[in-house]
Amino acid sequence: MAGRFIVIEGLDGSGISTQTRRLASALDARNEPYYCTREPSDGPIGSQIRLALTGRVAFAPETLALLFAADRLDHVQHAIKPRLEAGVHVLCERHVLSSLAYQGSELADVEWVATINRPATRAIAPDLTLFLDVPPEVSLQRIDAGRHTRELFEHEAGLERTRQAFGRAIDRVRSAGGRVDILDAARAIGDVADDILTRVLEIIGRD
C-alpha cells in the first residue's frame, strides 16, 4: 500500500514546523512509517532559495518562481515519490499551495506559476493539505518571539496579501478536486495538534 502525502501549509509563524513535529510524534507512537521533509528542500536548489528568502542573494520574482519549481521537481523525484511508493507517509512543510500563494501574489500571471508546478509533470497532488490559518498580526508576533530577523515576505502588508492569495489558491485546488482543510491555528498548540491528527488518521485509514 502506498504512503499518504500530507502537506502542512500556512503563513510564516502559523506553526507549520511545530505541528509537523507533533504529528510525527503521534504517528511514531502508533508505529506508522513516516518521513518529514520541507520546501524549499535541503538540496542545492533549495539552498539558493533560502539565501534569497533571507536577503543574502537577489532574484527576479520570475526566477525565484522557477527555482521553487525546479527544487520541487528534484524533491519529488528523489525524496517524496520513492518513499510514498515504499509505503511511507510523507509529511511535508509546504508544497505547491505556497508557490501559488507567495509567487502568485508577486506575479501578475498566476496561471504561469500553476503551469510550472503542474502535478502531472512536476509536483504530486497531496492526499491532504492542512492550512494553518492565523491573522498576520499573530504571525508576526510569533516570528518576532522566535527569531531575530524577518524574511522576504514577513511584514504585515505582505502577509495579509499572501493570506488572501492563499485563499484564492485554496479555492483553485479545491475546484480541481484536491482536499484542503483550513484550521484555526490561533488556538492552543495542543488543540490544533489534536485536530490535525484526527484528519490525518482519517486519510491513512486509522482510528
Side-chain angles (χ1 to χ4, degrees), residues 58-77:
F59 295 112
E62 294 84 356
T63 303
L64 190 58
L66 287 167
L67 285 171
F68 270 106
D71 180 53
R72 185 163 295 126
L73 174 60
D74 182 66
H75 191 210
V76 166
Q77 289 181 339

Side-chain angles (χ1 to χ4, degrees), residues 19-90:
Q19 293 300 339
T20 301
R21 288 193 298 270
R22 284 190 167 236
L23 176 57
S25 295
L27 293 180
D28 195 40
R30 288 164 172 77
N31 295 315
E32 291 286 347
Y34 68 89
Y35 172 73
C36 292
T37 188
R38 63 179 182 170
E39 293 184 358
S41 76
D42 294 323
I45 306 172
S47 298
Q48 290 298 307
I49 295 171
R50 292 184 188 284
L51 289 175
L53 294 177
T54 54
R56 285 176 282 178
V57 298
F59 295 112
E62 294 84 356
T63 303
L64 190 58
L66 287 167
L67 285 171
F68 270 106
D71 180 53
R72 185 163 295 126
L73 174 60
D74 182 66
H75 191 210
V76 166
Q77 289 181 339
H78 295 101
I80 298 175
K81 191 175 180 180
R83 288 178 170 84
L84 293 175
E85 291 174 346
V88 176
H89 307 304
V90 175

